[in-house]
Amino acid sequence: MPLTRCTAHSTQPPRFAVGLSPRRLRVLIGLVFLGLLTGCENKASVPKMQIFGNPPGNATIGVVYEYQFGIKGGDGLLEYSLTNAPPWLSVEYVENRLLRGILIKGTPGISGKGTTDYEGTTGEFEGIELNVTDGKSVGRLRFSMSVRPNQVRLPSRTFVEGETMTRPRRLIDTNSSGTEDPGEVYEDEPLCLLDEAGQPLLNDAELAFLETDLFRKLTQRELNRRPTLQYLDLTLFQASVIDVEGNYQLAESEFQDNFRPGVDSVSEIVIPAGLTDKSQFENASTLAELEAATGGLKTVRIDAGRFIFPAGRTKCHLLLVVADDTEAEREETISYRLNGIVGGLLEQENGSGSIRVKDNEPSVKFTVDKASVARDGVTNVIVELDKAPEVDATVRFLVDEVGSTAEFGADGDLTVRLRPEDIDSGTVLSDDLVIIDGGFELRFNVKDDTTDPILRTERQKRIQLVGQQPATGPAAPFQSDPLVQFSAERTGTINPPPSDTTFQAFINDWLTPYVAAIGPAGKTQGFGATVLDEAILAVARPGGDGLMQSQITLLDRTGAVSEQILLQSPGLNVEIKDVAYRSAGTLEREDFVEEVFTLLEVDGLFTGPLDRLGPDELGSGDLVVQKLRRLNRSGGFRVVWQKQFGTIFNEYGGALAVDRDGGVYVAGGTKGDARRENQGGYDAYLTRLSANGEQLFEQQRGGEAEEVYNAAVSVGGSDVAVAGTLDSTSITSDSTNLLDILVASFSDEGTVTRADQFGTAFDEVGLSISGVDRGFVVVGETNGAIDLSLVKNDRLTDAFALYYPTLAAPEAVMQLVSPGADGAADSDALEEQTYFGGYTGGKLFEGQTFYGDIDAWSARYDIRDNEEINRRRFFKVWERQRGTAGAERLVKLDALESAKMFEVIEYNVGGENYVSIAPVGTLDGGDLASCNPAINPDCPPQPVPPVEGE
């Protein structure tokens, strides 16, 4: 039977007996052998040898490397060895009550053969193998190691000019808790500021003096500098077992980036000559008292010095004294040189480092990035500094010739001026704004007669953009609203905005409202703006035969009619329901394509039906989609294709939306069986046509009552979002059994991606949807209290707006309430800016006037993050109510990138309906379609809409 060792429970080396006689020794050996035969015969097998651990993959020259592997298994004495290891690495056995293992350790370049063979200690060591055996089983572990040199570094960091530091200190953490505990103290961290003998250039009292107001006053008196202190970390990558030392200095001017040594910094500080104790300056309140207590002054050079890292240390601090000034500067980079580095077996002899300094002078910007002004009109804008200047500050704005299409100056399309009512108000002086060649300068004043920081400086200046007719005659025609683009230039004390921000001033040439009579039963059904600041108006009205006919009117950028398209068919009612516009290319490249899409309701065969339908499958109320096109403004629009579709029952045309590829979504309702059996009333209906007019999908959704889509908007390139109304549980199960708001989004294949039903115990109608930055805004009418903070008891309609991040649930709710009936009819959005408007039967906005009967209103609310509640909310920018003694309703609006918005208002006089179109500024809702006699005494008479009785 083979022998089995019984020493697995003990890893101590065996102790041999001494002083025994040969006879007694033979007896002892016999007993041991007998024990092996009888006591160990049935012991369990010994576990195999295993090595546990993952040693660091990097070692550093002159730095202690140490790692302990754990050992499990095996029996008796262990033998161990390293192969393919660097010569400085040694191995030894370790054991305690908790663990036994193998320790590898060494110092590259110091221990082992590396002491005399330094070059062989760096580099990569692959396939190092640790072997451990008990004579029966072997444990092996392979690992690799990279040996690299140590390095002195000046880590990069950024600070703001004007900031000052105190000397860095560190906690003496006696109990290693990581936090300050009672009784623990701090000690100053070492500085690199040494002389050639390695002695500190400044004693503790002198270093403490640098952090006092007396030092700042002394430096201002002696050097005309306002000093601020920065302590920069000079570091050794790893703590060496040998001292490391060297020299540092600020690099010469030619190696600096926007930084001037000795100008932007203090190379030599001035301090009291006999300063040895803090009490000498702590008891002094003036420079005279300080000098009397210390006896004269001395200078100490601090922009260069010597550093030493004693063995075990990895950090010391450079002292940089920065001169805080009032000059506006670009970001500066301060470069240092490191040389004469010796010790620690470093391969490095020289080095460098850099620190960035951000300027602390004010930055200027317009509070908005664009605004629109009418010719012969004015628009107020604000120029703002992000902080108060220390001295009188002048801002310069220059015209960007590349980005501008209009002329600036006294004889140009645009000029600027101070608000007349602000001049000589005590703060704003008449010469604070000066027109210069290619731009203008604006001065911010510091008043010397007050120390109040609020009254002492001004941070905002209100200026006026003034639209002009050029002195040489009428303005040359423009393809779109002309603009002047300004950019801020760095001046002596003012910085431009942090990024390349520009301000665009657009000049509106639509100077009079467009007014048209549309008949007693006429109504505005569609409206849109073009890429060239023009407008498309779609109206429906009875013709001479009493049948409904439709008309599209195209208005140029001055508000004049450029083309009219009549949509009618003998013996049919043709009612336009929506219109959309799309363009591609440019006139300059002669590839400018414009497309107009229309949605019509017809009560007979207007055109050929979709391929899948026959004439007998249509009914008394069908839908028609048309696509019209023109190229390079040559001639009028021509029909490209038109498609009719529906069922044998009535269809409702709610809206159309055009996607990125020219495909068309049609949203509305159907009483027939378009894609399934109708469940009662109108079912919500959605279809998508390709750019060629081919139907891609068709669907209807609904329950036993009414569901319709009233609005649609293209999202994400080719998907669509819709808003409407339902009074059943067809979309979701959370129904109030009255009219609720319905919102949903669909993929380009017709799959529902989001859906929500939202409402109160009373009626709601969703009438418009717009895509905003990170979501959608839905507006309409409610008889309930969507905003739970309101107490609704008059049962009249109110206007509402909902912000949906994903159409899954609203995140922000707004309800507008007056004593009368109110509603929101339309909306539009530009990024986070949302615009909506409608009608009101009372005073809707605080501080504004109710003119009587029904007024039109519009508003701008931006969607922004509310940090307090971590949600997005509506933030008011402006609100505007307008009207006469009659009835006015805002029915359509469209916001443009040229900082203006078209408002379409309907009103009735003497039984006749009129429509008026006029632009307003998106900055403040101000009227742009009115000549200002204060600017131009030759203003033409403005057309006045007729009123009751005229």
Side-chain angles (χ1 to χ4, degrees), residues 750-931:
T751 302
V752 178
T753 54
R754 291 284 191 278
D756 183 48
Q757 179 177 342
F758 186 79
T760 68
F762 301 94
D763 287 340
E764 282 79 37
V765 179
L767 295 175
S768 179
I769 183 169
S770 301
V772 298
D773 177 39
R774 292 189 286 167
F776 305 88
V777 167
V778 177
V779 304
E781 301 173 358
T782 177
N783 283 101
I786 287 180
D787 184 343
L788 298 180
S789 66
L790 300 174
V791 177
K792 182 70 176 176
N793 54 23
D794 55 20
R795 301 297 177 262
L796 298 175
T797 57
D798 291 337
F800 73 80
L802 305 176
Y803 165 66
Y804 279 87
T806 62
L807 292 185
E811 184 172 298
V813 175
M814 184 174 61
Q815 187 167 340
L816 299 176
V817 179
S818 82
D822 316 302
D826 199 15
S827 66
D828 198 9
L830 294 172
E831 296 180 349
E832 66 175 17
Q833 305 168 14
T834 65
Y835 304 88
F836 33 88
Y839 68 92
T840 177
K843 180 180 176 181
L844 191 60
F845 304 125
E846 189 68 30
Q848 301 199 27
T849 301
F850 174 52
Y851 295 92
D853 199 0
I854 298 175
D855 287 352
W857 65 269
S858 58
R860 172 182 165 185
Y861 278 76
D862 291 356
I863 300 291
R864 303 176 194 157
D865 293 325
N866 186 321
E867 296 180 356
E868 293 182 0
I869 59 176
N870 196 29
R871 295 167 69 99
R872 306 194 86 195
R873 285 290 180 262
F874 288 102
F875 287 84
K876 183 181 76 172
V877 179
W878 53 263
E879 299 167 329
R880 184 180 178 189
Q881 182 171 338
R882 65 203 73 187
T884 65
E888 294 82 24
R889 294 171 179 263
L890 187 146
V891 292
K892 299 289 180 181
L893 56 81
D894 203 342
L896 287 74
E897 293 289 348
S898 53
K900 71 180 181 183
M901 177 179 74
F902 286 121
E903 293 184 343
V904 182
I905 295 176
E906 283 185 355
Y907 56 94
N908 184 279
V909 177
E912 182 82 10
N913 288 336
Y914 293 84
V915 60
S916 171
I917 304 174
V920 300
T922 57
L923 176 63
D924 55 10
D927 199 344
L928 295 177
S930 59
C931 185

Side-chain angles (χ1 to χ4, degrees), residues 82-343:
L82 274 177
T83 57
N84 298 324
W88 51 266
L89 194 59
S90 65
V91 59
E92 63 182 66
Y93 179 85
V94 177
E95 180 180 11
N96 54 46
R97 289 189 306 169
L98 300 177
L99 177 71
R100 62 174 179 160
I102 301 298
L103 177 69
I104 59 172
K105 66 178 182 179
T107 304
I110 301 295
S111 58
K113 297 179 181 179
T115 305
T116 57
D117 187 16
Y118 169 67
E119 293 297 328
T121 61
T122 60
E124 303 295 326
F125 294 85
E126 303 285 345
I128 305 173
E129 186 171 278
L130 174 63
N131 296 283
V132 182
T133 180
D134 62 354
K136 295 180 60 178
S137 64
V138 177
R140 291 187 177 88
L141 189 145
R142 288 186 173 227
F143 60 97
S144 299
M145 181 183 299
S146 175
V147 182
R148 55 190 175 180
N150 212 346
Q151 188 178 30
V152 177
R153 300 183 298 184
L154 180 63
S156 179
R157 73 176 179 89
T158 301
F159 65 90
V160 177
E161 180 184 326
E163 292 180 349
T164 192
M165 293 178 63
T166 57
R167 183 175 177 180
R169 309 176 72 205
R170 64 185 173 198
L171 175 69
I172 302 177
D173 192 5
T174 54
N175 60 2
S176 301
S177 66
T179 59
E180 181 180 357
D181 297 312
E184 292 182 336
V185 297
Y186 287 82
E187 66 176 3
D188 293 325
E189 293 189 354
L191 299 183
C192 307
L193 197 62
L194 307 176
D195 60 18
E196 287 299 323
Q199 298 301 311
L201 285 175
L202 298 171
N203 60 41
D204 288 341
E206 292 168 333
L207 289 169
F209 175 71
L210 301 184
E211 298 177 5
T212 66
D213 285 334
L214 287 173
F215 171 68
R216 287 183 276 275
K217 292 178 181 179
L218 183 61
T219 305
Q220 286 180 285
R221 187 190 73 180
E222 298 295 320
L223 304 177
N224 194 27
R225 295 284 190 275
R226 295 189 302 179
T228 60
L229 306 182
Q230 290 293 324
Y231 291 93
L232 312 179
D233 296 342
L234 187 64
T235 64
L236 184 63
F237 176 62
Q238 294 284 335
S240 177
V241 298
I242 304 175
D243 291 355
V244 176
E245 53 188 286
N247 303 306
Y248 70 89
Q249 67 176 41
L250 274 175
E252 295 79 3
S253 296
E254 57 265 32
F255 299 105
Q256 303 287 354
D257 184 8
N258 299 322
F259 182 77
R260 299 160 297 178
V263 177
D264 297 321
S265 64
V266 176
S267 300
E268 293 182 330
I269 59 173
V270 178
I271 58 175
L275 190 57
T276 58
D277 190 88
K278 294 180 182 180
S279 61
Q280 292 173 278
F281 62 79
E282 288 176 340
N283 297 324
S285 58
T286 65
L287 293 179
E289 293 177 357
L290 175 68
E291 291 170 351
T294 56
L297 303 173
K298 71 175 182 178
T299 60
V300 179
R301 183 181 181 185
I302 56 154
D303 64 349
R306 189 159 185 78
F307 64 84
I308 296 178
F309 293 108
R313 288 275 193 175
T314 59
K315 182 190 293 186
C316 66
H317 299 279
L318 307 181
L319 175 61
L320 172 66
V321 180
V322 180
D324 182 22
D325 55 33
T326 60
E327 182 178 354
E329 302 160 310
R330 294 190 299 273
E331 183 173 287
E332 304 166 5
T333 301
I334 306 173
S335 296
Y336 274 87
R337 291 185 181 277
L338 307 174
N339 54 61
I341 301 174
V342 297

Side-chain angles (χ1 to χ4, degrees), residues 563-801:
E563 183 178 355
Q564 287 185 318
I565 304 170
L566 187 62
L567 303 174
Q568 61 182 354
S569 182
L572 296 184
N573 287 294
V574 179
E575 182 174 350
I576 192 166
K577 301 296 291 185
D578 201 4
V579 64
Y581 171 87
R582 180 176 180 268
S583 69
T586 66
L587 284 170
E588 290 80 6
R589 295 197 304 263
E590 297 185 350
D591 63 350
F592 188 49
V593 178
E594 295 176 284
E595 296 173 338
V596 171
F597 300 84
T598 69
L599 174 61
L600 311 176
E601 283 184 3
V602 298
D603 59 356
L605 190 60
F606 181 86
T607 186
L610 289 171
D611 295 339
R612 67 176 182 81
L613 297 173
D616 58 347
E617 295 181 76
L618 301 176
S620 59
D622 293 332
L623 301 179
V624 174
V625 175
Q626 295 179 308
K627 177 177 179 178
L628 300 88
R629 177 186 292 164
R630 69 177 173 182
L631 177 64
N632 293 325
R633 294 294 169 93
S634 177
F637 280 91
R638 297 292 182 265
V639 175
V640 178
W641 53 257
Q642 52 188 2
K643 303 289 183 176
Q644 183 169 342
F645 49 94
T647 67
I648 60 174
F649 298 100
N650 287 342
E651 272 65 50
Y652 160 71
L656 57 77
V658 181
D659 65 28
R660 177 182 55 197
D661 301 321
V664 184
Y665 285 96
V666 178
T670 179
K671 286 190 174 182
D673 302 331
R675 273 301 184 222
R676 65 169 214 178
E677 183 178 350
N678 185 280
Q679 300 300 302
Y682 275 107
D683 284 351
Y685 176 80
L686 181 69
T687 187
R688 182 185 181 212
L689 307 180
S690 73
N692 297 322
E694 299 173 356
Q695 191 174 43
L696 301 178
F697 75 78
E698 182 182 46
Q699 64 162 248
Q700 70 182 86
R701 302 168 63 86
E704 296 178 356
E706 306 284 344
E707 298 84 29
V708 294
Y709 301 136
N710 295 317
V713 61
S714 177
V715 294
S718 59
D719 296 346
V720 71
V722 296
T725 303
L726 79 165
D727 62 356
S728 74
T729 59
S730 59
I731 304 299
T732 66
S733 60
D734 185 20
S735 174
T736 59
N737 295 317
L738 293 170
L739 295 180
D740 284 346
I741 304 157
L742 165 65
V743 294
S745 57
F746 299 85
S747 72
D748 56 8
E749 297 178 347
T751 302
V752 178
T753 54
R754 291 284 191 278
D756 183 48
Q757 179 177 342
F758 186 79
T760 68
F762 301 94
D763 287 340
E764 282 79 37
V765 179
L767 295 175
S768 179
I769 183 169
S770 301
V772 298
D773 177 39
R774 292 189 286 167
F776 305 88
V777 167
V778 177
V779 304
E781 301 173 358
T782 177
N783 283 101
I786 287 180
D787 184 343
L788 298 180
S789 66
L790 300 174
V791 177
K792 182 70 176 176
N793 54 23
D794 55 20
R795 301 297 177 262
L796 298 175
T797 57
D798 291 337
F800 73 80

